[in-house]
C-alpha cells in the first residue's frame, strides 16, 4: 500500500521524470534544428517616398527550410553538458530508489513498533487485572483488621501506576498508527496481531560470513554520489571548452517570388548560409572563474563520495553489531524475566506467611512488569535491527557469495 500511495515516493518518481526530460532537452543541442517557414507580405509606398515618383504596391512571398544556429561541437562543450544531464538523471533515479528503500524500512519499523505496543498494552491490561485483585484483597484484609491500611494504600498505588502506564501506551499506539497511516497513504486494514515472539524466526535470513564489501555499491546513496561526481567532472569539461572558439552554422534554402503563383516556379530558388565563429578574447576573467567554480565543485563531489562510502561502512557495521548484541540481550532478558517471576511468587508466599512486608511483594511485581516490558522492547529492537541492516545493504542482498 505504501509503495502505491505514499506521496513522498510519488514526488521522487516525478523528479526522475523531470530529470529524464531535462536530459533529452540538453541532448537535443547535439543535433541540428530545422524549421519550415512561409512568409507573405504586401506593402504600399506613397509617391513622395517612391524612387519612381508614383505610389507603388509590392508583394513578396517566401518559403524556406531553415537550419537555425547549429553549433559544431569541436571541443566537447555540448557533449560534456549532455553527459552532466545524463548523470543528473541517473543520480535522481538512485534518489528515488533511496526513497523507496527508506519507505520500506520506515513502514516495517513502524509496523514492528505497533506490534510492540499492542503486546505491551496486553501486558499492562493483564497486570491491571491482577493488581485490581491484589488491591481488593488488601482492602478487604484491612477492613477485617488482618492487615494494615498501609498495605491497601500501597496496592492501590501500584494499581494506579499500572493504569497510568496503560494510558501512556495507548497514546503512543494511537500516534504510531497515525504515523503508519501517513506512510501508507491510505486507511490501514487491520492485519494479524501476532506477538513479536511469533515472527522473530525467519523474519530475515542470516548474513553469510565473508560477504565482500562490494555489496555496498548496491546502496543508492553511494551510486547517487558517484553520479554526482561524474556530473562535476563533466561540468569541468564544459568549463574548459568555453576557452575555445564556438562555431555556429545558420542557413536557409527555399523559394521567393513577388507573385504567389510564381513561388515554386523556375528561377525562384533562394538560399543563405551564415557560419559564425566566436572566439573569447577578454571577458574579465569570467571563463577562468567558471573553471575554478567547476573544479571546486568537483573536489567537493570527491569528498562527498568518500564520506558516503565511510558512512555506508559505519551503518552496516552498526546494524551488524545491533543484531548481535540485541540477540544476546533477548536471551539475558528472558532469564531475568524468569527470575523476576519466581521472585514475585516467593515474595507472595513470604507475605502470606507473615515473613515479609507487603512492600516486598509490590517491589517484586513492579520489577516483573518492567522485565516483561523490556523483553518486548528488546524483541522489537532486534527485528528493527534486521530492517536497518536491509536498508544499510541498499535493499537487501541479491546473491550470496559461495
Amino acid at each position: 500500500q505504501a509503495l502505491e500511495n505514499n506521496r513522498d515516493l510519488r514526488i521522487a518518481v516525478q523528479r526522475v521524470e523531470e530529470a529524464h526530460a531535462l536530459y533529452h532537452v540538453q541532448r537535443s543541442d547535439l543535433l541540428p534544428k530545422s524549421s519550415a517557414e512561409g512568409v507573405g507580405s504586401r506593402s504600399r509606398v506613397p509617391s513622395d517616398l517612391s524612387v519612381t515618383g508614383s505610389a507603388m504596391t509590392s508583394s513578396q512571398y517566401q518559403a524556406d527550410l531553415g537550419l537555425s544556429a547549429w553549433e559544431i561541437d569541436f571541443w566537447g562543450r555540448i557533449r560534456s553538458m549532455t553527459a552532466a544531464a545524463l548523470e543528473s538523471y541517473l543520480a535522481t533515479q538512485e534518489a528515488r530508489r533511496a526513497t523507496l528503500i527508506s519507505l520500506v524500512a520506515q513502514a516495517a519499523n513502524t509496523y514492528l513498533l505497533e506490534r510492540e505496543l499492542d503486546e505491551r498494552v496486553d501486558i499492562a491490561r493483564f497486570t491491571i487485572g491482577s493488581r485490581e485483585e491484589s488491591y481488593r484483597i488488601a482492602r478487604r484484609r484491612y477492613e477485617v483488621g488482618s492487615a494494615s491500611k498501609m498495605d491497601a494504600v500501597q496496592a492501590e498505588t501500584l494499581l494506579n501506576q499500572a493504569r497510568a502506564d496503560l494510558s501512556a501506551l495507548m497514546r503512543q499506539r494511537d500516534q504510531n498508527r497515525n504515523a503508519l497511516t501517513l506512510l501508507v497513504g491510505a486507511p490501514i486494514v487491520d492485519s494479524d496481531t501476532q506477538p513479536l515472539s511469533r515472527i522473530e524466526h525467519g523474519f530475515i535470513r542470516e548474513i553469510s560470513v565473508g560477504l565482500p564489501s562490494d555489496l555496498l555499491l548496491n546502496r543508492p546513496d553511494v551510486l547517487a554520489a558517484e553520479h554526482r561526481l561524474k556530473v562535476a567532472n563533466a561540468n569541468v569539461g564544459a568549463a574548459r571548452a568555453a576557452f575555445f572558439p564556438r562555431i555556429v552554422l545558420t542557413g536557409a534554402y527555399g523559394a521567393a517570388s513577388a507573385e504567389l503563383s510564381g513561388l515554386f516556379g523556375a528561377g525562384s530558388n533562394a538560399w543563405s548560409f551564415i557560419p559564425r565563429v566566436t572566439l573569447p578574447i577578454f571577458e574579465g576573467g569570467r571563463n577562468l572563474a567558471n573553471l575554478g567554480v567547476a573544479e571546486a565543485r568537483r573536489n567537493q563531489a570527491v569528498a562527498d563520495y568518500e564520506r558516503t562510502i565511510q558512512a555506508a561502512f559505519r551503518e552496516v557495521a552498526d546494524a551488524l553489531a545491533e543484531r548481535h548484541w540485541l540477540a544476546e540481550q533477548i536471551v539475558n532478558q528472558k532469564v531475568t524475566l524468569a527470575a523476576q517471576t519466581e521472585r514475585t511468587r516467593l515474595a507472595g508466599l513470604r507475605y502470606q506467611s507473615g515473613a515479609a512486608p507487603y512492600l516486598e511483594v509490590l517491589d517484586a511485581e513492579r520489577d516483573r512488569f518492567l522485565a516483561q516490558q523490556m523483553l518486548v522492547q528488546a524483541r522489537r529492537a532486534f527485528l528493527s535491527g534486521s530492517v536497518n541492516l536491509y536498508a544499510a545493504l541498499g535493499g537487501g542482498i541479491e546473491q550470496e557469495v559461495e
Side-chain angles (χ1 to χ4, degrees), residues 20-42:
H20 186 253
L22 289 174
Y23 161 65
H24 282 286
V25 169
Q26 182 60 54
R27 191 179 65 169
S28 67
D29 288 342
L30 289 169
L31 304 174
K33 300 174 183 61
S34 61
S35 59
E37 183 180 46
V39 179
S41 64
R42 187 171 175 82

Side-chain angles (χ1 to χ4, degrees), residues 198-218:
R198 297 283 295 275
I199 63 176
E200 273 182 7
H201 180 70
F203 183 77
I204 190 171
R205 60 177 173 167
E206 292 299 321
I207 304 299
S208 301
V209 177
L211 290 177
S213 59
D214 291 348
L215 285 173
L216 295 183
L217 296 179
N218 188 49

Side-chain angles (χ1 to χ4, degrees), residues 45-359:
V45 180
S47 58
D48 57 344
L49 296 178
S50 173
V51 295
T52 62
S54 59
M56 294 179 59
T57 301
S58 61
S59 301
Q60 182 177 347
Y61 300 93
Q62 186 171 344
D64 291 326
L65 180 63
L67 176 69
S68 56
W70 175 41
E71 180 177 349
I72 302 178
D73 193 28
F74 280 126
W75 321 113
R77 187 184 71 87
I78 298 178
R79 288 194 298 274
S80 294
M81 295 174 65
T82 302
L86 175 61
E87 296 300 333
S88 294
Y89 161 61
L90 296 176
T92 309
Q93 271 194 325
E94 295 303 329
R96 180 200 63 83
R97 196 162 71 90
T99 302
L100 187 147
I101 293 171
S102 176
L103 176 60
V104 171
Q106 288 181 53
N109 280 327
T110 308
Y111 167 77
L112 290 174
L113 183 56
E114 179 164 323
R115 295 276 65 78
E116 174 200 324
L117 292 171
D118 281 343
E119 197 167 344
R120 291 174 64 189
V121 165
D122 291 339
I123 293 172
R125 284 173 173 166
F126 178 81
T127 301
I128 288 174
S130 71
R131 290 182 182 179
E132 285 177 343
E133 181 63 16
S134 298
Y135 171 60
R136 186 189 67 79
I137 294 173
R139 185 179 61 181
R140 183 59 181 164
R141 293 185 65 181
Y142 162 67
E143 290 173 350
V144 299
S146 63
S148 66
K149 184 178 181 180
M150 178 64 71
D151 291 346
V153 172
Q154 289 174 337
E156 183 181 13
T157 300
L158 201 62
L159 171 60
N160 290 331
Q161 287 177 350
R163 287 172 174 169
D165 290 339
L166 177 60
S167 298
L169 289 172
M170 295 293 289
R171 172 182 57 80
Q172 293 176 31
R173 187 174 68 171
D174 288 347
Q175 291 176 340
N176 186 73
R177 172 55 70 95
N178 294 335
L180 187 58
T181 302
L182 179 62
L183 284 173
V184 170
I188 301 173
V189 179
D190 288 335
S191 58
D192 61 89
T193 57
Q194 294 186 68
L196 294 171
S197 58
R198 297 283 295 275
I199 63 176
E200 273 182 7
H201 180 70
F203 183 77
I204 190 171
R205 60 177 173 167
E206 292 299 321
I207 304 299
S208 301
V209 177
L211 290 177
S213 59
D214 291 348
L215 285 173
L216 295 183
L217 296 179
N218 188 49
R219 284 175 55 114
D221 58 340
V222 173
L223 293 175
E226 181 180 346
H227 289 306
R228 289 194 297 269
L229 178 55
K230 291 179 179 179
V231 169
N233 276 326
N235 288 334
V236 170
R240 285 174 177 165
F243 287 91
F244 299 100
R246 294 178 60 183
I247 302 174
V248 178
L249 303 181
T250 303
Y253 179 81
S257 175
E259 298 293 337
L260 183 59
S261 59
L263 182 60
F264 297 104
S268 62
N269 293 343
W271 59 269
S272 65
F273 179 65
I274 311 172
R276 185 175 73 250
V277 179
T278 304
L279 175 64
I281 296 177
F282 177 75
E283 295 190 355
R286 177 186 296 273
N287 287 340
L288 191 61
N290 285 335
L291 178 60
V293 169
E295 290 177 341
R297 289 176 177 171
R298 180 192 58 191
N299 295 336
Q300 292 175 33
V302 171
D304 177 64
Y305 182 72
E306 293 172 347
R307 181 184 61 183
T308 303
I309 291 290
Q310 292 173 347
F313 273 99
R314 178 192 171 179
E315 289 178 10
V316 172
D318 287 349
L320 291 173
E322 191 175 34
R323 278 171 52 83
H324 172 76
W325 293 112
L326 282 171
E328 186 171 321
Q329 181 180 343
I330 289 174
V331 173
N332 294 331
Q333 200 64 46
K334 287 179 180 178
V335 175
T336 300
L337 178 58
Q340 289 293 350
T341 301
E342 179 65 12
R343 175 193 170 196
T344 302
R345 187 184 70 83
L346 295 176
L349 293 176
R350 284 168 53 83
Y351 172 70
Q352 292 174 7
S353 64
Y358 192 65
L359 181 60

